[in-house]
Amino acid sequence: MIYIIMGVSGSGNASVLSFLLLYRSSLGVFLSEKLGWPVYEGDDFHPQENIEKMSRGEPLTDKDRFPWLLKLHEVIQRERCSGSDAFVICSALNRLYRQVLLYGSKALLSVTDQAILPPVAPDVFFLFLQGDYDLIHQRMMSRRGHYMKADLLRSQFDALEPPLAGENVLSLDIKRNITDMAMEVEKHISSFKSSLVMP
């Protein structure tokens, strides 16, 4: 099983008990440590040009994002093919980006030739961290040492297409603490694995 932890940058949660100023990736790290699954931080796969662009306060374009998403698709496919469980942290802001994560370059070709791809892969789930602009902006303003500027948050909200129910999505409210969200994800994992062994 692959869980893609998505949402605009800065939409993780803060907990003074375990971490300081945690954001979207904090849920992935917490779950990874608890379950022993590997976690892949999408930010680590950005090419240097993207990092430099975001550091200058320039929003990324689709042209910037697609090579990055294709790299993450390769990671997801590798884990799926090996039968491994993993968490991948990626903003996955719109449906096309999520399709690229699932289907790679086929998703980009489907836009031009109007091919229809399935909306989901059965063993890939999106964990959508939901929160309003003001809350996330406040958290980003308190974050230090990250290349993405808080001013870019508006561009992420403008690009966001929340996943639909048919996209294998579990929505999590970021007002909740990390432990509560992790418990909900664990229940989802147990339920899904139980359904696989039932006759």
Side-chain angles (χ1 to χ4, degrees):
M1 296 172 64
I2 308 295
Y3 280 85
I4 300 171
I5 303 173
M6 63 161 290
V8 298
S9 184
S11 60
N13 207 311
S15 166
V16 294
L17 296 176
S18 306
F19 308 96
L20 294 175
L21 299 175
L22 298 171
Y23 296 91
R24 182 183 58 217
S25 59
S26 52
L27 179 61
V29 171
F30 187 92
L31 284 164
S32 174
E33 290 177 354
K34 192 165 187 187
L35 300 176
W37 295 12
V39 60
Y40 297 93
E41 171 56 70
D43 285 348
D44 295 341
F45 293 83
H46 271 298
Q48 187 61 33
E49 305 83 59
N50 285 7
I51 293 172
E52 291 171 2
K53 193 170 185 178
M54 288 186 283
S55 296
R56 293 191 300 267
E58 299 174 29
L60 297 180
T61 65
D62 284 352
K63 185 179 178 182
D64 299 319
R65 286 190 179 107
F66 287 144
W68 167 63
L69 292 167
L70 289 169
K71 284 184 186 176
L72 289 174
H73 166 73
E74 291 173 8
V75 170
I76 291 166
Q77 282 303 100
R78 185 182 71 230
E79 293 296 323
R80 290 179 72 200
C81 291
S82 69
S84 299
D85 299 316
F87 297 103
V88 175
I89 300 161
C90 175
S91 51
L93 293 174
N94 66 36
R95 185 178 174 88
L96 177 57
Y97 298 170
R98 295 189 289 273
Q99 290 278 290
V100 173
L101 290 172
L102 294 175
Y103 300 107
S105 57
K106 289 180 185 174
L108 298 176
L109 294 173
S110 72
V111 174
T112 56
D113 65 14
Q114 298 184 336
I116 297 175
L117 295 171
V120 296
D123 57 344
V124 179
F125 296 88
F126 291 95
L127 298 177
F128 178 39
L129 303 188
Q130 290 182 293
D132 65 41
Y133 177 88
D134 290 337
L135 173 62
I136 295 173
H137 187 266
Q138 179 183 11
R139 289 183 178 177
M140 287 191 73
M141 292 302 290
S142 66
R143 180 168 59 170
R144 299 287 181 264
H146 192 274
Y147 54 77
M148 183 174 170
K149 307 298 184 191
D151 292 345
L152 293 178
L153 181 62
R154 175 51 62 193
S155 69
Q156 289 214 338
F157 266 90
D158 290 343
L160 178 64
E161 294 174 5
L164 303 174
E167 290 186 75
N168 276 358
V169 61
L170 175 63
S171 295
L172 301 169
D173 187 339
I174 66 166
K175 291 178 184 174
R176 299 167 62 193
N177 64 47
I178 289 286
T179 304
D180 287 348
M181 289 193 289
M183 285 177 59
E184 187 169 347
V185 175
E186 288 182 88
K187 287 179 185 174
H188 189 268
I189 293 169
S190 296
S191 175
F192 179 76
K193 291 196 171 184
S194 295
S195 71
L196 294 178
V197 297
M198 290 179 65

